Amino acid sequence: MWHKNVVYIVIRPTRYTKEFVDKHDSFSLTFFNKKFKETLLYLGKVSGKDEDKIENSNLNVKYYNNIPYFKEASISIFCTKLYNQVMEKDCLIDQDIYEKNYPKNDMHTLYIGEIKNILLNKKTL
């Protein structure tokens, strides 16, 4: 996109993560092997507003050019934000998607990020 290598992510407005992505110009995406399935389920269920879920998960945060990521991740992708926009109901081709997934009208925000670097963790690949 725009002659750049990019990722697309979407985040609901109710997710605590959105505050961090909106506040900063960069973000990371981290991918884990199957060993971390239970940890990732926990992270998806518990809000960081309610407890320090990162500490409770026993994952370790590291920084690459001031962008946080998890030491235990198999793949870490570091991105700079290029674009964001709240998705719109009228743009959905299949309106059933809206009816089934947005009863509170909490449409996701779409972000496009330029990939700046990728780290591979050979210990966990």
Side-chain angles (χ1 to χ4, degrees), residues 5-11 17-18 20-31 64-69 76-84 110-117:
N5 295 315
V6 299
V7 297
Y8 294 78
I9 62 169
V10 293
I11 305 174
T17 299
K18 187 174 184 317
F20 296 104
V21 173
D22 287 343
K23 183 177 178 181
H24 300 283
D25 293 332
S26 301
F27 61 90
S28 65
L29 302 174
T30 52
F31 299 87
Y64 175 84
N65 289 339
N66 295 316
I67 304 170
Y69 73 102
S76 299
I77 302 174
F78 302 95
C79 305
T80 300
K81 286 190 306 189
L82 296 174
Y83 179 84
N84 70 286
L110 166 68
Y111 298 86
I112 301 174
E114 180 180 7
I115 298 170
K116 293 298 193 173
N117 199 13

Side-chain angles (χ1 to χ4, degrees), residues 31-34 36 72-76 119-125:
F31 299 87
F32 294 81
N33 67 32
K34 292 178 185 179
F36 293 94
E72 295 81 4
S74 296
I75 302 169
S76 299
L119 292 180
L120 300 178
N121 184 345
K122 292 180 182 179
K123 294 179 183 176
T124 61
L125 279 174

Side-chain angles (χ1 to χ4, degrees), residues 1 8 17 19 23 53 62-63 69 71 81 88 93 102 109 123 125:
M1 184 74 171
Y8 294 78
T17 299
E19 291 181 31
K23 183 177 178 181
K53 68 181 189 177
K62 292 187 74 173
Y63 293 87
Y69 73 102
K71 174 183 173 184
K81 286 190 306 189
E88 298 179 14
I93 306 301
Y102 298 103
T109 298
K123 294 179 183 176
L125 279 174

